[in-house]
Each structure stands twice: as C-alpha cells, then as structure tokens.
Amino acid sequence: MRTTLTVIKADIGSIGGHIKPSGKLRQTVEQFLKERGKTLLTDWYVSSTGDDIALLMSHCHGRDNADIHKLAWDAFVAGTQVAKEQGLYGAGQDLLKDAFSGNVRGLGPASCELEFDERPAEPFLFFAADKTDPGAYNLPLYLSFADPMHCAGLLLSPRLAKGFTFTIMDVSHTHGDRVIELNTPEELYDIACLLRDNQRFVIESVRARAGGEIAAAVSTSRLHNIAGTYTGKDDPVALVRTQGSFPATGEVLSPYRIGHYVAGTMRGSHNGPLMPSRLNATISFFDGPPVVTGAAFCVHEGRFTEAVDVFDHPFWDWVRLKVSEKAAEIRRQGFSGPAMLPYSELEYGGVVEKMKELDRKFVVRPESGAPAAKRARASR
Ligand code: F6R
Ligand code: MG
Ligand code: MG
C-alpha cells in the first residue's frame, strides 16, 4: 500500500511564555483533525515539543496535497482561537499569512513528508525539536546514515554499504529551492563541507542507494526568509524510516547522545546543546536547552501503532545530565564569542539599530607621524 506521512507543526500559543501549549489548545486541534479529517486521513497523532504543536498524519493523497495542508492550517487557526480566548502567549505566532494558499510552505508552519510503498512491517521515527533550527538535524543524520562509528550497518549489512544519497538545501537562497544531491561514501567530504554550516546548508532528505527508497525527510523552512525579519526559530521536524535497508532505530538514535551545540535557546540567538527529551517536553533553563523529542511507530495500512517514547529510558537520563553540564558551561560565558550567534543570525533586530548607532561614533585614529594632510583626511 502506498502511504504518505505528513508532519505539519506550528507555534500557535503557549502557557507561561514560550514553554508549552495548553491542554485545551491541544485537545481543540486534535478534535478538529478527528472531525474534519475523517474522510481525508487514515490516522493522526498530535503532540507538543516545547511551545510547538505537531500534527503527524497518514493518508493516501501524496506529498504537498492541498487538502491535507489546508486541514492542518485550519486546525491551527481553530487552535489559535482557543489560544486567544485563554490569553496564551504568542497566540497564532507561526501563522504568518492571513490566508491559506496551496500548501503550508512559506506560510509559517514547518512541514516534512515521506511517501512510500509500505513494507510488511514499517517502523519509523518522528522527531520534533524546539528552540533551534533545521540545521540541528545535520550532524545526527550525517552520523547515522554515513558514519560507521554510529551506524554499524554500514559495515555489517551489504544493503547499507551501498550508501545513501543526501539532498541538501541552501536555505539562504530565497527565490526557489536551491538543492544539491551528493552520494555516500564517495562524496562524504563534500557533504561534511556543506553540513558544517548548519545555518545555510540543511539536509532536506536522504535516500537509500540500494533500491532508491526514501529514508528521511526534514522540514527546511526558515522563518526569517519568509517574514523578512526573525519571528522565532524554526523548530524543525523530521521523519526517518528505520531497519532493513535503512539504519536500525538504535543507529538513528545513537548520535543524539552527543548533545551537540546548535543555534537557538534564549531569544533564538545563542548556541546551546541539543537535549534528547521525553515526548511533550517543556522548555526551561535560559529558554532552552534546545530539545528534541522522538516517537517510534509502526504504520500498517496507514494506521499507527501507539507511540513509543524513544528518549524515555535510563540511558537518556544520563545523557541529559551530561547535556545539562554542557548547557551550564557555555552559559558561563554569556554573550561572549561562540556562546552567542553571529550578527546575521540574531533573532532580534534591536542589535542592528544599536550597531548603526555605534558605527556612527567610531573614529579612525590618525597615524602618529603622518603628514598633516593625511591626518586631516583620516579624521574625516
Ligand atoms: C526563542 C524563543 C524565546 C523568546 C523569548 C522572548 O525562539 O521563543 O526564547 O525569544 O522568551 O520572547 P518575547 O520576545 O516574545 O518576549
Ligand atoms: Mg516559539
Ligand atoms: Mg517553538
């Protein structure tokens, strides 16, 4: 059976700042899908990660289907109404346009989709991250699909040893999708060369070279490219099929033990370690640390099993302690150097005004011993 998995997520309001949507908001969105999605959807799963609410939907209408995207948009509009009634913070924040047109890309919500012929058993992982951006998945996906230090299958399984094709997007290009396809293992260094820049080059999808099947998809939207100015970090979602011709579930999870530093956390303007967290996680220390949640499913004839919380295990409690140490350590240096993002990535525009003001006050000091005419020129 041909199945499409669509995830669409948005921040449409939360309790106590940018922390977590209310129960009522979530129930409203869920109820909306249940009633209005009856004929369109085969199954759905609603969850929250930090202040974002994500709709995971299965159906048979393919990717970029206008009806599916409109259903999600309308569910968010209904949720926004409740957020306003409850006085939640940032009600409707990610619905950047007034009206729906075609699909949610470019309208604010993030989305990613996988379309495939179901295998007899079809395990997959659904990741959602908050207080960070799509480049947060670059390193984990690179390691689980291309590095035998995390993916033993690259050595042990002939199917995996054929490698994977990475489609990488240049998200700084705003007029159309600028993408490149690169193959492992031959082009590993080229892939690494791009993926080191998490703010510009983002993995959009991964395919198995054995059979050409789609393995993974990531949301690639960048809100500041849509709105013109920053309205929040993009809090990306990802879907990864596992087992068989793909990395095993544990190989996909393995890189999350690093707690690598990603952009985001307070005011979307700092670096912080990515903390693998339990489903429906909240946000806390310094509007962070950036969190990623993971739900494992099997989908059969479009129907989901219950979700298994992949980071709800004693091993990840130990990881969370380590990640907390990394978070506290980088915070010790406040705004200095790598603790804060470069100028171009700061979420708030105030610093631009401040820099303009300071720029006007700069003077070029005349060289000592220079002729009077040169000194006069330098001081102008
Ligand atoms: C980051 C984020 C938060 C807010 C911060 C201030 O993406 O959502 O860190 O930037 O809480 O929020 P405002 O400006 O809404 O008061
Ligand atoms: Mg937010
Ligand atoms: Mg968010």
Side-chain angles (χ1 to χ4, degrees), residues 143-226:
L143 294 175
S144 47
F145 281 92
D147 186 345
M149 297 293 280
H150 289 268
C151 183
L154 296 171
L155 306 182
L156 302 175
S157 157
R159 280 186 291 181
L160 269 72
K162 289 204 161 53
F164 292 88
T165 303
F166 285 66
T167 303
I168 297 170
M169 185 181 283
D170 174 357
V171 293
S172 69
H173 186 87
T174 48
H175 306 293
D177 293 347
R178 187 164 184 261
V179 293
I180 187 171
E181 286 196 358
L182 294 167
N183 289 320
T184 64
E186 311 90 280
E187 295 171 306
L188 261 184
Y189 296 165
D190 296 347
I191 293 173
C193 211
L194 295 175
L195 296 187
R196 58 158 288 284
D197 186 349
N198 289 333
Q199 267 63 63
R200 177 157 182 200
F201 298 109
V202 172
I203 295 174
E204 181 193 53
S205 61
V206 184
R207 276 182 185 279
R209 289 177 81 185
E213 277 281 293
I214 187 75
V218 181
S219 61
T220 49
S221 60
R222 296 211 55 192
L223 293 178
H224 78 304
N225 293 343
I226 298 169

Side-chain angles (χ1 to χ4, degrees), residues 12 28-30 32-33 55 70-80:
I12 51 170
T28 304
V29 168
E30 212 160 352
F32 192 95
L33 285 192
L55 321 180
K70 176 146 187 358
L71 177 70
W73 178 266
D74 290 344
F76 289 140
V77 170
T80 297

Side-chain angles (χ1 to χ4, degrees), residues 11 18 51-52 93-94 130-131 235:
D11 174 356
H18 297 271
D51 58 10
D52 300 308
Q93 183 190 279
D94 284 355
D130 189 35
K131 300 291 181 272
D235 305 337

